[in-house]
Amino acid sequence: MASKILNMLGITAMMLFTFGCSQQGNKNTKMAPPSKYEKQIDSLISLMTLEEKTKLLHASSSFTSGGVERLHIPELTMSDGPHGVRMEHGRDWEFDNVTNDSATYLPTGITLASTWNKQLGYKYGTVLGSEANERGKDIILGPGVCIIRSPLNGRNFEYLAEDPYLAGEMAAGYIKGVQSQGIAACVKHYAANNQETKRGSVDAIVSERALQEIYLPAFGHAIKEGKVLSIMTAYNKVNGQYCAENQYLIDSVLHDQFDFKGLSMSDWGGVHSTKATLLHGVDIEMGTELADGTRKNPNYNDFFLANPLIKLVKEHPEYEKYVDEKVRRILYVMFSVHKFDNERPKGYRNTEEHHVLARKVAEEGIVLLKNENNILPLGDNVKTIAVIGDNATVKHAAQGGSSQVKAQYEVTPLEGIKKLLGDKYKIIYARGYEPNKKGTSSPKLIKEALAAARKADVVIYIGGWLHNLPGHVWDQYRFDAEGKDKAAYEFPYDQAGLIDQLAKIKPTVTVVFGGSFAKYDKWVDDSKAILFVGYPGMEGGTALAEIISGKANPSGKLTFTVAKELKDYPSHSIGEFPGDSTVEYKEGIFVGYRYFDTEGKETMFPFGHGLSYTTFDFGDVKMDKKEFSPSETVKFSIDVTNNGDYDGAEVVQVYVSDPSAKVKRPAKELKAFEKVFLKKGETKSVSFELNKDAFSYWDPETKAWTVDPGKFEILVGNSSADIRQKAEITIK
Ligand code: BGC
């Protein structure tokens, strides 16, 4: 009977045979428009009982949502995300402890975004999609696009930027890459999940303008430009309602404004009600934990969107239409990821190509913040290098929370430096400090480090943050980690003091790991060069050695403002961070450089900043005309010349300023960027097109995106604080 029905739907026995493991064929398939599957979806829904539909709406194991055997609808299989396919969980929460679940550990979100290279974002996604496919997954739980509102947020390392346009563009590339492999990406955590403290209950109080201009656009871009197939809601509440049942976020914005056709799922354990979630909440309730805290083999039929939902709909048959809408969106994703055909391309894992891409992203994502007297790349006068710091030997892949990856290997900085530079230089190592529960320094390790510095010509200090103490994954000694924010804007274990002492002995290059920087201190001035590497993935050590030696030329740019003090950040001085039962975003739209530039407040390193071993010259902004109607596209180009001694890459950043708006707007906002690769002496013309979005703001009165006619400035530079060229236009 079932096969007859499915035949009618055009689903053949051969297709059924491959449900859940459709990894055949080798062609690159494109995602289809929503209408393509409409008829098949309608027919399937018409065959399903309420009980069967409900199976699709909740988890059936730790990382699957239910299928319907009678109709050969398979389970959907998911995996974290966002920078590698996570090690295997069993159907319960425990790890499988198998040996064939290693993966390519890519640089984390913050390092990917620091490349400002959209094409690289796409390639990154293809690697992730291909590996997820090879591991039998349908959905990879990434990218994370929450805005970096405070440097203390424990998950900044997974996120992309303080700027919604940059985050959206990098996410869109990532998503298209993942989905080119027949796998769904899942953009998360929707929305305003900007702190980990009390993430399961805190209520983020955010104005509609700040939501629309700052916290939602990256999701909108992921949907409109990236065509993302799934979205995960955040644990927290926004303006009084849990995200998983938030009428404004899901009904008004996700479905009406963004016209999202894909599926939404809760974060694990993020659903709190049956009725509200059914009427205006997520499509799938994920999680492994029941209200009584049971995690091992919970009875998924007790979930809010399981038996309680069946009971509710039986009492209110008029609600079944909401069930159908959810099932429709889920089936749309299932068709799109080829659960009902053989069209998915073949997946691959841990190939050389994937590892090379991991290195490439690290190379382009490492940011050179300062380079006094061109100490980098290291010159011929250097004979002995003292590598100092715990992060020189730490492996980060398996740490940090749900984004953990069992890396096939991870080249640490010390290994990378020894392998690449060991023939040329004598390399000595001292640990310098040791992660410990008191957060203190160790006099013995300091002594050894200073002795090592004395024997060397240069110190490469490798420190900053780490995810957590090994063996203390879920306790308070976590920094860049899920479920916990950092307590201070200051490197632990008195690293500031150590760097300072080292810098007094020998020229010191400081390499900072982490999802954030740290407050201004003497070590910043005393270090001759500073590199911010984020978490650069399994080939991070190689990439770092290439940059130090000049084999690669740094081209990364900061995706967040580095302030001198914690209190300089508007989230801390004007708004609140972290909140407790509520967190008020009183700074509104003035986040990151939008605040620093508007207030003329000094920073340590501005948004968009990053040096190269070469220098670039920006020519005039060339445009054919200066007056436009709001519906016209503003087109212009600019010549960029590499006038230094190395081949290199520059990120041309285009900001728009609207001095005559009727509401207060930031001094400037990023609206376009392009990374351009130039041989020494080479000039290239870079073209840009800005549409109405680039000039609009969210008008709280009309509740719409609005352009106020008048004069606008187009500012072109290589950081928010280094504007090289300007052009004035008028929008009539
Ligand atoms: C995290 C998500 C993750 C999920 C599944 C949650 O705790 O917030 O980002 O995808 O767990 O592991």
Side-chain angles (χ1 to χ4, degrees), residues 62-63 79-82 86 89 93 141-142 155 158-159 188-189 193 196 199 232-233 235 265-268 295 401-403 474 482:
S62 56
F63 283 93
S79 172
D80 289 297
R86 192 181 187 178
H89 281 256
W93 190 254
L141 304 172
R155 293 185 86 172
E158 289 182 66
Y159 296 142
K188 66 190 189 183
H189 306 88
N193 182 185
E196 287 297 290
R199 66 173 177 172
M232 185 193 294
T233 52
Y235 280 122
M265 69 177 83
S266 69
D267 200 339
W268 269 229
R295 202 154 217 196
S402 61
S403 64
W474 292 111
E482 195 172 322

Side-chain angles (χ1 to χ4, degrees), residues 601-623:
K601 205 172 174 78
E602 210 191 322
T603 65
M604 189 169 10
F605 299 110
F607 172 81
H609 170 71
L611 303 170
S612 165
Y613 296 152
T614 188
T615 51
F616 300 94
D617 192 44
F618 286 50
D620 293 338
V621 178
K622 293 185 216 162
M623 44 172 60

Side-chain angles (χ1 to χ4, degrees), residues 315-582:
E315 286 160 13
H316 293 274
E318 71 277 17
Y319 290 168
E320 187 154 354
K321 66 168 195 264
Y322 297 105
V323 176
D324 288 355
E325 282 171 18
K326 291 187 192 306
V327 171
R328 173 177 305 284
R329 290 189 286 264
I330 295 165
L331 287 175
Y332 165 62
V333 174
M334 286 191 152
F335 275 99
S336 302
V337 300
H338 309 291
K339 294 300 278 182
F340 302 109
D341 63 35
N342 300 329
E343 302 280 301
R344 199 184 275 182
K346 186 168 161 48
Y348 297 91
R349 182 161 50 103
N350 279 322
T351 61
E352 199 191 333
E353 204 187 341
H354 291 183
H355 297 160
V356 167
L357 194 271
R359 196 197 70 221
K360 186 89 191 113
V361 174
E363 260 172 39
E364 284 199 34
I366 292 176
V367 188
L368 177 64
L369 294 172
K370 72 177 269 194
N371 193 16
E372 233 172 83
N373 303 328
N374 295 329
I375 182 172
L376 290 179
L378 294 180
D380 292 337
N381 55 332
V382 174
K383 303 281 179 269
T384 304
I385 302 175
V387 175
I388 293 171
D390 188 57
N391 269 341
T393 61
V394 172
K395 296 190 178 179
H396 302 277
Q399 311 292 338
S402 61
S403 64
Q404 59 187 174
V405 178
K406 192 188 278 179
Q408 200 192 38
Y409 65 85
E410 182 176 344
V411 181
T412 65
L414 185 60
E415 285 165 357
I417 290 171
K418 277 190 172 161
K419 189 158 175 225
L420 224 83
L421 312 180
D423 287 346
K424 190 166 174 199
Y425 306 107
K426 181 166 180 220
I427 292 159
I428 48 181
Y429 173 66
R431 196 173 181 192
Y433 65 93
E434 180 182 31
N436 63 78
K437 290 188 176 188
K438 290 193 202 114
T440 51
S441 58
S442 147
K444 179 172 165 275
L445 293 180
I446 292 176
K447 209 170 143 199
E448 282 168 18
L450 302 184
R454 280 187 203 102
K455 287 189 213 138
D457 303 305
V458 66
V459 172
I460 309 282
Y461 178 84
I462 301 177
W465 301 99
L466 74 168
H467 289 304
N468 44 257
L469 284 184
H472 293 270
V473 178
W474 292 111
D475 69 12
Q476 70 265 41
Y477 306 105
R478 286 179 288 150
F479 301 108
D480 286 316
E482 195 172 322
K484 178 136 174 56
D485 295 313
K486 287 173 184 156
Y489 186 45
E490 191 173 354
F491 297 143
Y493 322 122
D494 192 24
Q495 293 180 63
L498 173 59
I499 306 170
D500 217 39
Q501 291 190 60
L502 292 168
K504 284 203 181 87
I505 299 173
K506 288 290 155 64
T508 296
V509 173
T510 300
V511 178
V512 175
F513 271 74
S516 65
F517 206 76
K519 74 173 186 194
Y520 173 76
D521 220 318
K522 277 210 313 273
W523 69 267
V524 176
D525 291 335
D526 294 349
S527 299
K528 293 278 178 257
I530 302 176
L531 290 158
F532 176 72
V533 302
Y535 288 99
M538 71 198 301
E539 283 286 349
T542 315
L544 183 66
E546 287 179 332
I547 285 195
I548 288 170
S549 65
K551 194 166 170 234
N553 187 353
S555 63
K557 302 275 178 182
L558 283 177
T559 68
F560 57 95
T561 305
V562 176
K564 290 190 158 178
E565 301 279 345
L566 190 59
K567 64 175 168 41
D568 292 348
Y569 286 100
S571 47
H572 291 262
S573 57
I574 305 171
E576 299 173 329
F577 190 98
D580 186 51
S581 57
T582 59

Side-chain angles (χ1 to χ4, degrees), residues 84 134 218 229 278 304 464 520 581 618:
E134 198 273 346
L229 285 166
L278 174 62
F304 290 103
Y520 173 76
S581 57
F618 286 50

Side-chain angles (χ1 to χ4, degrees), residues 94-107:
E94 302 305 313
F95 284 119
D96 269 358
N97 285 326
V98 288
T99 50
N100 60 352
D101 58 347
S102 67
T104 295
Y105 167 45
L106 292 155

